[in-house]
Amino acid sequence: MKRVAVIPGDGIGIEVISEAKKAIQAANSRKKMDLELVEMDYGAEKYLNSGVTMPEEQYDDFRENFDAILMGAFGDPRVPGNEHAKDILLGTRFKLDLYVNFRPVKLLDERFCPLKNKKPEDVNFTVFRENTEGVYVGVGGIFKKGTPDEVAIQEEINTRKGVERIIRHAFQFAENRGLTRVAMADKSNAMQYGHNLWYRCFFEIAKEYPLIKATHYYIDALAMLMIKEPEKFEVIVTNNLFGDIITDLGAQLQGGLGLAASGNINPEGVSMFEPVHGSAPDIAGKNLANPVAAILTAEMMLRHLGYEEQAGWIEEGVMEAIRSNKLTSELGGKLGTRECGDFISGIIRTSK
Ligand code: NAD
Ligand code: IPM
Ligand code: MN
């Protein structure tokens, strides 16, 4: 029996995870998976009512009793600093040491690409974002707060262990998939310590993979090339902050945040899966959110858990929704969140 913790979270997280669950259940009805979904109510509502974000014991529970975690999104206008979201999301990434943020950028249909004359084969790469270090560690402080002399320090932490393991993971992924190119992006021309470490580690590890072409870019140039020549990329590895930024950019190359899935992986332990998008308060509660990113996230999770066949059916369901334009409004469709999810689940249940 495999156990999955399902944490919808806030805003559209709740709406899209409901559709992702439907897709999992549809795949299960076609061929039974020995899978238990355990729903948990962490998020803004719980935080506002009880002050609890995610208790320390929960992480032990994940480690000991779960095979994966499926999350929606966190962020709520009633919590202006979104401290609960930081605690839950970054807490999970850090405490479970989910050092691989796996974010594929794959154009599923030409009509979704905002670039001229780019086809699915031109936009098909994977970003590996370091997920446990960088500027996300919360090291720093504020001195003389609120005064004209205020000083704010936000440190970026880069460790050799942390940098090496994500870079090695990216090369190993490329080798396993028969890919031939890995790009690394940093800002070592301005950040001469931390990013120099990235630069050196990248070329050291590249030597272990002589058949793979290793190319270094400065992050600004890489962002430009993602638009100009996305076909240049097969695998990109970068730090936590740059990875965050370029995966929203990458999501748009695919057709938007409504289509972008991600995994937060600990190759030796329990992993967490979530769409790239946030809680989208601007459209929350209106049945407008695109559930496809969450459904593709469920697909990614099922593959990770070894349910290849069921994952394949979910992918087919999404592809059929795309072919027949059974999509939400931001992609030019006429369906709401639930109706799009129902269509996809219907296909999963019945297609051959
Ligand atoms: P967002 O991703 O929530 O939304 C950005 C824009 O994309 C919005 O206009 C939104 O309507 C649109 N969008 C996002 N997902 C969509 C979907 N599935 N279908 C259709 N449109 C979609 O980013 P934001 O507005 O910067 O942040 C909102 C809140 O979410 C903040 O509190 C932020 O911190 C949080 N956030 C959480 C996560 C997470 O939990 N993983 C990720 C990103 C942002
Ligand atoms: C993401 C989000 C998070 C991040 C925020 C909500 C802290 O933008 O998962 O991409 O920056 O990692
Ligand atoms: Mn982000």
Side-chain angles (χ1 to χ4, degrees), residues 52-103:
V52 172
T53 54
M54 187 168 289
E56 216 39 52
E57 318 80 77
Q58 187 56 63
Y59 296 104
D60 292 326
D61 187 33
F62 287 148
R63 274 185 284 261
E64 286 159 23
N65 303 315
F66 286 90
D67 297 282
I69 305 161
L70 178 63
M71 283 186 174
F74 302 90
D76 187 302
R78 293 172 301 168
V79 187
N82 277 315
E83 56 272 13
H84 72 297
K86 187 167 167 290
D87 233 45
I88 296 171
L89 195 62
L90 302 186
T92 304
R93 290 177 186 170
F94 291 171
K95 290 178 187 169
L96 299 179
D97 204 23
L98 309 178
Y99 67 88
V100 179
N101 195 328
F102 171 60
R103 294 189 161 182

Side-chain angles (χ1 to χ4, degrees), residues 135-146:
V135 293
Y136 280 74
V137 293
V139 173
I142 293 182
F143 181 47
K144 299 189 180 174
K145 190 170 183 176

Side-chain angles (χ1 to χ4, degrees), residues 115-134:
L115 306 177
K116 270 184 285 186
N117 305 322
K118 295 293 177 193
K119 302 202 158 28
E121 61 268 27
D122 298 321
V123 182
N124 186 9
F125 58 89
T126 303
V127 177
F128 288 97
R129 164 186 178 190
E130 201 294 318
N131 214 26
T132 53
E133 304 191 341

Side-chain angles (χ1 to χ4, degrees), residues 41-342:
D41 63 353
Y42 300 113
E45 194 68 35
K46 187 176 190 110
Y47 176 62
L48 289 167
N49 289 333
S50 66
V52 172
T53 54
M54 187 168 289
E56 216 39 52
E57 318 80 77
Q58 187 56 63
Y59 296 104
D60 292 326
D61 187 33
F62 287 148
R63 274 185 284 261
E64 286 159 23
N65 303 315
F66 286 90
D67 297 282
I69 305 161
L70 178 63
M71 283 186 174
F74 302 90
D76 187 302
R78 293 172 301 168
V79 187
N82 277 315
E83 56 272 13
H84 72 297
K86 187 167 167 290
D87 233 45
I88 296 171
L89 195 62
L90 302 186
T92 304
R93 290 177 186 170
F94 291 171
K95 290 178 187 169
L96 299 179
D97 204 23
L98 309 178
Y99 67 88
V100 179
N101 195 328
F102 171 60
R103 294 189 161 182
V105 176
K106 193 169 186 309
L107 178 62
L108 296 177
D109 190 289
E110 194 177 337
R111 71 187 197 274
F112 298 150
C113 191
L115 306 177
K116 270 184 285 186
N117 305 322
K118 295 293 177 193
K119 302 202 158 28
E121 61 268 27
D122 298 321
V123 182
N124 186 9
F125 58 89
T126 303
V127 177
F128 288 97
R129 164 186 178 190
E130 201 294 318
N131 214 26
T132 53
E133 304 191 341
V135 293
Y136 280 74
V137 293
V139 173
I142 293 182
F143 181 47
K144 299 189 180 174
K145 190 170 183 176
T147 75
D149 296 328
E150 181 160 355
V151 179
I153 295 179
Q154 191 89 45
E155 296 288 0
E156 180 178 290
I157 305 291
N158 298 279
T159 68
R160 180 171 272 276
K161 173 183 153 192
V163 174
E164 281 185 353
R165 66 184 183 175
I166 187 67
I167 291 177
R168 187 169 281 111
H169 192 90
F171 275 102
Q172 196 54 53
F173 172 88
E175 185 176 276
N176 294 348
R177 300 275 172 117
L179 302 172
T180 57
R181 282 171 280 160
V182 174
M184 189 277 281
D186 64 27
K187 191 66 190 168
S188 51
N189 50 353
M191 300 174 75
Q192 68 271 45
Y193 309 120
H195 292 203
N196 176 262
L197 177 65
W198 274 83
Y199 187 88
R200 283 180 288 118
C201 287
F202 180 61
F203 287 107
E204 282 170 25
I205 290 166
K207 289 198 195 111
E208 299 169 22
Y209 298 87
L211 300 179
I212 295 176
K213 184 169 157 47
T215 311
H216 166 259
Y217 295 94
Y218 297 122
I219 186 67
D220 47 352
L222 178 120
M224 177 275 291
L225 278 172
M226 278 176 64
I227 304 300
K228 184 166 175 264
E229 294 172 90
E231 61 277 8
K232 268 202 148 68
F233 300 110
E234 289 183 346
V235 174
I236 297 173
V237 59
T238 190
N239 69 37
N240 208 339
L241 180 63
F242 296 166
D244 178 45
I245 297 167
I246 67 167
T247 52
D248 266 35
L249 183 58
Q252 203 56 46
L253 296 179
Q254 294 171 263
L257 283 165
L259 297 171
S262 86
N264 297 257
I265 313 287
N266 176 338
E268 288 90 40
V270 60
S271 295
M272 183 269 273
F273 298 82
E274 54 171 352
V276 173
H277 66 71
S279 56
D282 54 337
I283 56 166
K286 297 180 178 156
N287 198 36
L288 285 172
N290 187 346
V292 169
I295 292 171
L296 290 174
T297 299
E299 179 211 326
M300 183 190 284
M301 180 183 78
L302 292 188
R303 278 192 209 285
H304 180 85
L305 292 172
Y307 296 113
E308 281 290 331
E309 206 177 6
Q310 287 88 346
W313 295 329
I314 293 182
E315 187 180 3
E316 278 170 33
V318 167
M319 291 313 292
E320 184 50 34
I322 291 173
R323 275 191 294 272
S324 50
N325 202 27
K326 299 288 188 203
L327 298 166
T328 46
S329 54
E330 97 289 3
L331 289 178
K334 293 197 176 70
L335 301 189
T337 310
R338 283 189 293 277
E339 293 69 29
C340 177
D342 284 341

Side-chain angles (χ1 to χ4, degrees), residues 6-46:
V6 179
I7 311 176
D10 306 329
I12 66 165
I14 298 167
E15 297 166 69
V16 298
I17 288 299
S18 169
E19 302 312 313
K21 274 171 53 189
K22 265 192 219 163
I24 294 172
Q25 279 149 4
N28 187 58
S29 73
R30 192 154 155 197
K31 185 169 175 190
K32 199 158 167 36
M33 294 179 272
D34 204 10
L35 193 67
E36 186 192 359
L37 304 182
V38 181
E39 189 115 355
M40 298 181 181
D41 63 353
Y42 300 113
E45 194 68 35
K46 187 176 190 110

